[in-house]
Amino acid sequence: MNKKIGYAIVLAIALAAPFVGYPVFLMKLLCFSLFACAFNLLIGFTGLLSFGHAAFFGGAGYMAGYVLRDLGWPFELGVLAGVAGAALIGLVMGSLAIRRQGIYFSMITLALAQLVSYVALRSPFTGGEDGLQGVPRGKLFGAIDLGNDTTLYFVVLAICVAGFALIVRTVHSPFGQVLKAIKENEPRAISLGYDVDRYKLMAFVLSAALAGLAGATKTVVLGFETLTDVHWTMSGLVILMTLVGGMGTLAGPMLGAVIIIMLENKLGDIGTFLARNTGVEWFNTLGEAVSMVTGLIFVACVLLFRRGIIGEIVARFGQKKLA
């Protein structure tokens, strides 16, 4: 019941947010929150550390942008094409990667993701280093104009809520219980007769599809797709979001995504404010030190909040871990 009240409060805040804040930035927060939750489904509940989730996030963005701009597909089909593309990439990568465990699994996902990044750089339809520009938003069901930021915000909110609800349902389903059993004790799961590799592959593809949903939606919101989203640093960023918020919790990745993205976008403004009020000119360069600040946050979380922010809060109050 407490979790339901918490979700209701967060949803109410999200519904009111576009009337207070900048809708495009808020949509970016929503997309990265869904991306982090999708990644957490794999690492937090299945125990598989992927270094290649940027391939799904950015690959879906390129696919959605291409069919929307060059093929003239409607909004819904464009997003679905991105999700299907990410799921297909996930199926290929997962089929190869699940044959290994531990760091070998992670390195295979990283290597395959770098191949996707190379394809995005060299393929003519992606725009290379210039990226895929001028992606139209179109209309929802051919009637609702998505050119208005506030209208698009509520569509993006509905997409992200649906994606999060699917993750919650998956975690609490019998399928999700098997995934958690694999994470806790894989040999025992095998001894009970479960086809562990098949469950891992299904979880990998589902996580890839949801990451693709986030990436395709982000491309529509911003109107472009660049190599940044398929670069390996994006995979590192989503890992950071998940660890900061709380790996293995449902709400943690969302909080981690909000913190990291807000730091990336608002750190310069914070530095200017501090410089103006303290007279210390060094604060003016704070916006250029985003990587250093996020690195310090990561170190602080490892040393002080090993379960992540949400995980530590849950543990401090003696409740069961959100799962």
Side-chain angles (χ1 to χ4, degrees):
M1 182 61 68
N2 290 335
K3 287 192 289 186
K4 291 182 178 179
I5 294 175
Y7 291 148
I9 293 173
V10 172
L11 181 59
I13 293 173
L15 289 171
F19 303 105
V20 179
Y22 182 42
V24 173
F25 177 67
L26 295 173
M27 285 187 279
K28 185 177 179 181
L29 289 179
L30 289 173
C31 292
F32 275 101
S33 295
L34 178 58
F35 182 31
C37 289
F39 176 76
N40 183 55
L41 178 64
L42 192 65
I43 186 175
F45 295 101
T46 314
L48 299 176
L49 174 58
S50 167
F51 285 156
H53 259 55
F56 316 132
F57 186 70
Y62 275 114
M63 179 64 71
Y66 173 73
V67 300
L68 286 170
R69 188 193 69 174
D70 297 347
L71 301 184
W73 288 20
F75 168 80
E76 311 87 55
L77 293 182
V79 173
L80 289 176
V83 174
L88 180 59
I89 296 172
L91 179 61
V92 174
M93 288 180 58
S95 299
L96 297 172
I98 62 170
R99 300 179 184 182
R100 296 293 181 266
Q101 296 180 341
I103 191 63
Y104 302 105
F105 170 87
S106 301
M107 289 298 101
I108 291 173
T109 60
L110 176 61
L112 295 174
Q114 288 300 97
L115 287 178
V116 175
S117 178
Y118 180 80
V119 170
L121 175 64
R122 295 299 181 182
S123 297
F125 77 91
T126 62
E129 294 182 354
D130 295 328
L132 198 65
Q133 306 291 332
V135 178
R137 291 181 175 180
K139 294 183 178 181
L140 181 64
F141 305 125
I144 303 174
D145 186 11
L146 299 178
N148 181 275
D149 288 343
T150 303
T151 301
L152 182 60
Y153 172 84
F154 287 110
V155 174
V156 172
L157 177 61
I159 290 173
C160 292
V161 168
F164 181 72
L166 176 60
I167 292 173
V168 173
R169 182 68 189 92
T170 299
V171 169
H172 292 294
S173 68
F175 172 72
Q177 298 305 311
V178 175
L179 295 183
K180 286 187 278 189
I182 293 172
K183 177 189 176 185
E184 295 298 328
N185 195 327
E186 184 174 334
R188 181 175 176 84
I190 294 174
S191 69
L192 292 174
Y194 291 108
D195 187 346
V196 169
D197 285 346
R198 184 167 66 91
Y199 277 94
K200 284 182 179 180
L201 181 59
M202 292 172 64
F204 196 92
V205 173
L206 179 58
S207 178
L210 288 167
L213 178 61
T217 306
K218 174 179 169 289
T219 297
V220 175
V221 169
L222 299 181
F224 61 85
E225 180 61 55
T226 65
L227 293 172
T228 302
D229 287 346
V230 290
H231 196 260
W232 66 267
T233 53
M234 182 59 69
S235 296
L237 190 66
V238 74
I239 293 173
L240 178 61
M241 293 174 185
T242 306
L243 293 180
V244 168
M247 183 180 69
T249 67
L250 290 171
M254 291 190 290
L255 178 60
V258 170
I259 291 173
I260 298 302
I261 297 302
M262 288 193 71
L263 275 176
E264 284 193 340
N265 288 266
K266 302 298 182 182
L267 194 59
D269 295 337
I270 294 173
T272 302
F273 174 81
L274 292 174
R276 186 184 302 118
N277 288 274
T278 63
V280 179
E281 289 298 324
W282 178 84
F283 284 123
N284 283 318
T285 63
L286 199 57
E288 302 172 4
V290 174
S291 298
M292 182 184 71
V293 174
T294 53
L296 289 174
I297 291 174
F298 175 72
V299 172
C301 285
V302 170
L303 295 177
L304 303 175
F305 307 98
R306 294 193 176 185
R307 300 183 184 91
I309 297 174
I310 296 296
E312 288 293 339
I313 291 174
V314 172
R316 183 68 59 87
F317 287 95
Q319 299 176 4
K320 290 183 179 180
K321 193 175 185 181
L322 295 174

